[in-house]
Amino acid sequence: MYTIYDYAYNGLLYLNNTMRPRLKRLSQLMIYTTTACQSRCKHCNIWQKPVEHLSLEDIRRIMQSRCVTKRTTVGLEGGEFILHPQAAEIMAWFHEHNPNYTLLSNCLAPRRVIDLVRRYLPHHLYISLDGDRETYQRMRGCNGYDRVIQVVEALKDEVPLSLMFCLSPWNDFDDMAFVIDIAKKYNVDIRIGIYGTMAYMVASPPAPLQKERGVVTSQAASQRQNYIFPSTLGEGVRVRLRSTSENYDFVALYDQWLNGHLRLRCQSIMSSLVIHSNGDVPLCQNLNVVLGNIHHQSLDEIFNGSQSCQTQCHYSKNCNGCWINFHRKYDVILMRNFERLLPKWLIEKFYGPYQWTKDSRTTYHQYFQNL
C-alpha cells in the first residue's frame, strides 16, 4: 500500500519535525466528527456518550492550519461519520478543496455509504469487520455483517478499500483468518489492529497509566492489553497474516512489547494527530493528555506551541505505553527502514537506545529471520 515516494516523503517529514519542532507538519489527521453511532460495540462505548458534532465550519477552520498540508491524510470518522447532520456537506467540501481524505465507516447504513462515496470519492474507504456473521453480532451488538459485504461488493472496484480488523477479547485468530480470506476473495486491502482501552472510546475516561520514575512503561500499559499472545499463532493464520501488507510485523511484535522486551520511542506523535468531537486535541490516542481545544486555540498553536513541543518531546523519548496501530505502526516502519540503510549501533547515536527483543543487539531482520 505504500510507495517509495511515501517512504521518502515521510523520511523528509521526520527530519523536518525533529529539527524544527515549532514548524511541524502533519502526515495524518484523524477527525472524530461525531459521537453519534448506531452500533453497540463491546470494544467501543462512544455510543454511550452524549451526541456532539464538530461543524463544517470547525473543520474548514482546522483545514486552514499551516500544519495541515495537501499531503496530510485527513480521516473522517466518529462514532459513525455518515450520521453527522452535515456529512454530505463535509464530504463535498473535501472533494472540492482537499481530496486527500479518507472515510471510516461501520456500513450499517449501506445505501447511504455507497451514495456518499460515489458522489464525493474519498481517497480511501476503511470498513470495520471483526469476524464472521456470528462474531459480528456478538462483538458489535447488531446484525451488520451482510451490510458490510454489500458495501464491499458495491465499491471494491470504485475506490481503494480496506477492511479494518480489530483483534480483541471478543474475537480470535480464527476471526482474523476469516477476514483475511474475505479481503482476498474481494481483492481488497486489510489493516489489523489490536484492541486497547483509549480514553475517547469509553464512556468515562480511564485513569492515566501508572508511571515508573516518570516513564510510561509497556508493563503498566499491558494491564489493559494482556489477553492475547501472537506467539501462539497457528501456522495457517501465520501464513495468511504474512500475505497481508504492513500487518505481520505489527502483530508479531506485540508479544515482545507486551512482555516488556520491545522498546521504541514514540515518534508518531510528532506527525500524527486526532481531534475529538468536543474539539479536544489529545497528545495521542492512548494517554489522557490533552494539548488543547480547537474552540479556544488554533490547531497550529495547539500542535506547535512551546508547551506542546515540550510535552511531545518528553513523551516521544519516554513513552512505550501502548501498541495502538495508529501510532506504533509508524514507529515500526520508521525503524525497520532506518535499519535497511544504517547499522543499529549508528542509528542509536542520533535516535537513542531501542530494542526489538530482550536482546538489545537483535535487529529487525534478525528477529523476523528467526521467527
Side-chain angles (χ1 to χ4, degrees), residues 155-193:
L155 296 176
K156 63 183 178 65
D157 297 321
E158 299 185 28
V159 295
L161 188 154
S162 295
L163 296 178
M164 301 288 286
F165 176 86
C166 179
L167 191 60
S168 79
W170 300 279
N171 59 6
D172 55 31
F173 287 126
D174 289 338
D175 291 304
M176 179 194 291
F178 178 87
V179 177
I180 291 173
D181 288 343
I182 290 292
K184 289 187 180 300
K185 174 181 177 181
Y186 291 108
N187 194 29
V188 298
D189 177 53
I190 181 171
R191 305 293 172 92
I192 296 173

Side-chain angles (χ1 to χ4, degrees), residues 264-277:
L264 298 177
R265 291 178 56 171
C266 187
Q267 291 294 131
S268 66
I269 59 175
M270 298 296 192
S271 62
S272 299
L273 204 62
V274 301
I275 301 176
H276 292 166
S277 53

Side-chain angles (χ1 to χ4, degrees), residues 149-362:
I149 298 303
Q150 179 184 346
V151 175
V152 173
E153 290 180 341
L155 296 176
K156 63 183 178 65
D157 297 321
E158 299 185 28
V159 295
L161 188 154
S162 295
L163 296 178
M164 301 288 286
F165 176 86
C166 179
L167 191 60
S168 79
W170 300 279
N171 59 6
D172 55 31
F173 287 126
D174 289 338
D175 291 304
M176 179 194 291
F178 178 87
V179 177
I180 291 173
D181 288 343
I182 290 292
K184 289 187 180 300
K185 174 181 177 181
Y186 291 108
N187 194 29
V188 298
D189 177 53
I190 181 171
R191 305 293 172 92
I192 296 173
I194 298 177
Y195 171 79
T197 304
M198 295 186 285
Y200 183 69
M201 300 296 184
V202 295
S204 299
L209 292 175
Q210 296 178 3
K211 296 181 182 180
E212 180 180 311
R213 296 189 297 277
V215 177
V216 181
T217 66
S218 59
Q219 290 91 336
S222 68
Q223 294 173 11
R224 297 207 303 258
Q225 215 173 0
N226 62 356
Y227 48 83
I228 200 148
F229 295 86
S231 58
T232 64
L233 282 170
E235 187 58 28
V237 177
R238 190 183 297 273
V239 169
R240 287 180 173 89
L241 191 55
R242 281 185 182 276
S243 69
T244 67
S245 175
E246 304 295 350
N247 290 303
Y248 181 69
D249 55 5
F250 176 74
V251 176
L253 286 167
Y254 172 76
D255 192 32
Q256 295 294 328
W257 171 82
L258 182 66
N259 288 291
H261 300 154
L262 179 147
R263 181 161 193 85
L264 298 177
R265 291 178 56 171
C266 187
Q267 291 294 131
S268 66
I269 59 175
M270 298 296 192
S271 62
S272 299
L273 204 62
V274 301
I275 301 176
H276 292 166
S277 53
N278 65 355
D280 280 349
V281 182
L283 172 73
C284 70
Q285 292 203 17
N286 185 59
L287 298 177
N288 195 17
V289 177
V290 177
L291 298 177
N293 187 291
I294 60 137
H295 298 306
H296 306 137
Q297 299 170 276
S298 72
L299 187 62
D300 288 314
E301 292 171 329
I302 294 170
F303 184 56
N304 283 330
S306 176
Q307 184 59 51
S308 292
C309 288
Q310 292 179 34
T311 302
Q312 291 159 345
C313 183
H314 169 75
Y315 282 99
S316 174
K317 291 179 179 178
N318 298 317
C319 187
N320 191 47
C322 82
W323 202 246
I324 295 172
N325 59 346
F326 181 75
H327 294 292
R328 302 323 300 268
K329 276 191 176 182
Y330 176 95
D331 299 316
V332 170
I333 293 171
L334 178 71
M335 298 313 296
R336 80 181 187 205
N337 285 338
F338 275 158
E339 288 191 2
R340 286 173 179 169
L341 301 173
L342 301 168
K344 188 175 185 297
W345 66 266
L346 183 56
I347 296 170
E348 292 184 321
K349 293 292 185 182
F350 63 87
Y351 175 87
Y354 72 97
Q355 58 193 70
W356 301 103
T357 70
K358 188 175 182 179
D359 183 351
S360 62
R361 297 168 299 178
T362 301

Side-chain angles (χ1 to χ4, degrees), residues 97-159:
H97 299 284
N98 198 306
N100 187 32
Y101 79 101
T102 65
L103 174 65
L104 290 80
S105 178
N106 60 27
C107 295
L108 293 180
R111 292 183 180 177
R112 174 77 167 156
V113 173
I114 293 168
D115 175 62
L116 289 176
V117 168
R118 284 176 171 167
R119 286 163 60 190
Y120 302 119
L121 297 174
H123 185 70
H124 206 111
L125 174 63
Y126 295 95
I127 299 176
S128 301
L129 184 62
D130 300 309
D132 60 17
R133 188 177 285 103
E134 180 181 347
T135 298
Y136 194 106
Q137 177 74 50
R138 180 176 67 250
M139 189 166 171
R140 293 183 169 263
C142 59
N143 184 15
Y145 174 83
D146 291 324
R147 283 175 275 183
V148 167
I149 298 303
Q150 179 184 346
V151 175
V152 173
E153 290 180 341
L155 296 176
K156 63 183 178 65
D157 297 321
E158 299 185 28
V159 295

